[in-house]
Amino acid sequence: MSVPPGQHEGAHILVVDLASGDRHTISGQASDERSIALVVVGTRTLDILDVDSTELDQRLAELTANQDRTRRGWASHTDLPDATVILCTTGSCDLLPQAVAAVLAQRGVNFEVIVVDNAPHTGATRTQLAHLADDRLRIVDEPTPGLSRARNRGVAAAKAEIIAFTDDDALVRPDWLRGLIEPFADDPQHRIAATTGIVLPAELAHRSQRWFEARGGFPKDPEPLLWSCTPPDAELARFGTAGQGGPLHPFLPARVGAGVCMAFRAQALAAVGPFDIALGAGTRTRGGEDLDIFARLLLAGWAIVHTPDAVVHHRHRRDEAGLATQIRGNGSGAAALLTKTLIAKPATIMTLLRRIPAVARRLRPGSPRVAGTDPDVPAGLTKQEIAGFLEGPWLYLRSRKEARRRR
């Protein structure tokens, strides 16, 4: 459902549990014209509804008869491997205390939480978290700016078999970590390297937030998906339907997941190397470090599972300038990642050239990727993304040079 220009911004974002009948509001109110409902049955996600609020009850009633869709190809284990949750921050996000508290509220899993302070000189992170007294929480410092550096610092400090990541502007659901870990627990051959989940908006109170969702937002498939570069055998295929990547997949695996909701086997991260410190927020490239790790894992022969049972509500950019910067960073990060691929394997150029027509169709004027689902999505956002893509190779080369110098 789209909101024409000039009309009320906002939506009732809620979670509905068909097993208990509970309804929990994330943001907005029931009187809003639009409802976005995460529909669950206990710990399992059934569906995501984005409807006119007057239709919500009817759609929920229809879903009640389809609860068998919550069956998974993996077992629901009670003995799950321990996990480390890493959250990187500069202490500037006001949602940080809530984000950390939501992680600490996870159910049914043994875990520790590492908050990586990427701006320790300000003291802001420790000030914001001073009231959270929990033995499972540690704060470690990474004074050199860059999300990849902060992620690597967290990984170095992690103690558990599974390493999960979220962000300081996101609120994880109480069973988020359990959802990410369960596929690992049912994979005795350790062929699954990573899991990703659903990322829903935490609010749609501003045009910039609605526009971000209208252009696709973050991955949010309500069905389990399996990502692999080779056709899966029966053992792997039970984890989900084969994921369908975009025209540049697997070199640019944007549909696999997002850094705000992902988990890895520690041994898999060690096998493919650390996060690339020339990529990601806080560097010239502004993004791409999470997709780079996904690509390296897939190309190395590992599998990745998207589980709909791991859900995050992310607070999108509230200002239009911030959204434009984010979209431009998406473009530059994508091009930087492709540039890295070509530097490592120049022969890949032939494969990428053959896919140019498919990329052009995706970016043609009026296409869903450009126009979005709402009529007032600015064309300038796509221009920003293209501008970022064109400058991405140069930014990556400069970022690599600076990374070497700092190293």
Side-chain angles (χ1 to χ4, degrees):
M1 175 184 176
S2 62
V3 181
Q7 290 194 13
H8 172 67
E9 294 290 341
H12 185 209
I13 299 175
L14 69 159
V15 180
V16 181
D17 188 341
L18 294 183
S20 65
D22 291 341
R23 297 192 183 192
H24 172 65
T25 294
I26 303 298
S27 66
Q29 49 195 343
S31 58
D32 286 326
E33 296 179 5
R34 178 182 183 183
S35 289
I36 300 176
L38 171 69
V39 186
V40 302
V41 180
T43 63
R44 300 294 197 203
T45 292
L46 177 60
D47 208 344
I48 301 165
L49 298 180
D50 188 348
V51 298
D52 188 299
S53 293
T54 60
E55 302 174 3
L56 179 61
D57 288 339
Q58 177 185 343
R59 295 292 299 277
L60 288 172
E62 294 169 356
L63 284 176
T64 301
N66 294 303
Q67 295 186 29
D68 59 339
R69 288 170 50 191
T70 60
R71 294 176 181 172
R72 304 290 181 248
W74 56 86
S76 182
H77 289 269
T78 56
D79 185 19
L80 296 173
D82 293 352
T84 297
V85 180
I86 297 172
L87 187 154
C88 304
T89 184
T90 61
S92 60
C93 180
D94 64 308
L95 202 60
L96 174 62
Q98 291 175 256
V100 175
V103 174
L104 290 170
Q106 294 303 291
R107 302 182 292 210
V109 185
N110 293 321
F111 65 97
E112 62 171 349
V113 181
I114 297 177
V115 173
V116 183
D117 187 352
N118 204 203
H121 63 282
T122 68
T125 294
R126 284 173 169 79
T127 297
Q128 286 211 63
L129 301 181
H131 67 288
L132 291 177
D134 194 306
D135 292 340
R136 298 170 298 173
L137 173 63
R138 286 188 286 154
I139 301 175
V140 299
D141 294 342
E142 175 47 68
T144 305
L147 180 55
S148 285
R149 289 182 183 274
R151 291 196 196 279
N152 290 337
R153 178 67 183 88
V155 171
K159 299 176 181 178
E161 177 184 347
I162 306 298
I163 301 176
F165 293 87
T166 190
D167 292 342
D168 61 1
D169 55 359
L171 301 175
V172 299
R173 295 277 302 143
D175 296 298
W176 165 78
L177 187 56
R178 181 184 185 89
L180 286 175
I181 294 175
E182 278 192 338
F184 293 119
D186 207 35
D187 173 35
Q189 298 179 23
H190 289 195
R191 299 165 69 187
I192 296 171
T195 56
T196 63
I198 290 175
V199 185
L200 295 174
E203 63 179 15
L204 287 183
H206 305 269
R207 289 196 305 179
S208 57
Q209 296 173 327
R210 174 168 57 81
W211 289 341
F212 180 76
E213 283 295 311
R215 296 182 82 251
F218 291 113
K220 53 177 69 67
D221 199 298
E223 302 291 337
L225 298 175
L226 177 74
W227 299 91
S228 175
C229 281
T230 57
D233 57 24
E235 173 63 20
L236 270 182
R238 66 186 173 88
F239 283 92
T241 304
Q244 301 299 313
L248 296 176
H249 185 86
F251 310 108
L252 191 61
R255 297 180 184 176
V256 170
V260 66
C261 184
M262 60 184 185
F264 302 87
R265 289 194 189 277
Q267 72 178 87
L269 278 180
V272 301
F275 288 92
D276 188 344
I277 59 175
L279 294 171
T283 70
R284 293 184 182 275
T285 58
R286 299 183 293 257
E289 88 293 338
D290 48 356
L291 303 186
D292 176 49
I293 284 289
F294 295 151
R296 279 192 266 166
L297 289 169
L298 291 171
L299 292 168
W302 297 81
I304 299 175
V305 171
H306 165 82
T307 167
D309 303 324
V311 182
V312 170
H313 283 93
H314 177 266
R315 190 175 73 185
H316 305 334
R317 302 297 196 280
R318 288 175 163 177
D319 62 297
E320 295 172 25
L323 174 62
T325 299
Q326 179 185 9
I327 296 299
R328 187 163 186 144
N330 290 347
S332 60
L337 178 50
L338 293 176
T339 302
K340 176 181 179 178
T341 299
L342 291 174
I343 291 173
K345 295 184 178 180
T348 307
I349 185 65
M350 300 308 298
T351 301
L352 296 179
L353 287 175
R354 287 194 295 269
R355 299 184 184 184
I356 288 178
V359 175
R361 287 193 296 272
R362 192 164 182 250
L363 296 177
R364 74 182 186 279
S367 67
R369 183 67 178 83
V370 172
T373 57
D374 289 1
D376 63 332
V377 174
L381 291 176
T382 297
K383 294 178 181 178
Q384 286 286 346
E385 191 167 14
I386 292 173
F389 192 87
L390 294 175
E391 68 188 2
W394 169 244
L395 293 176
Y396 179 65
L397 294 175
R398 292 188 65 184
S399 188
R400 275 170 59 106
K401 183 177 181 180
E402 291 172 355
R404 289 195 190 99
R405 186 166 61 246
R406 283 180 174 174
R407 191 182 290 120

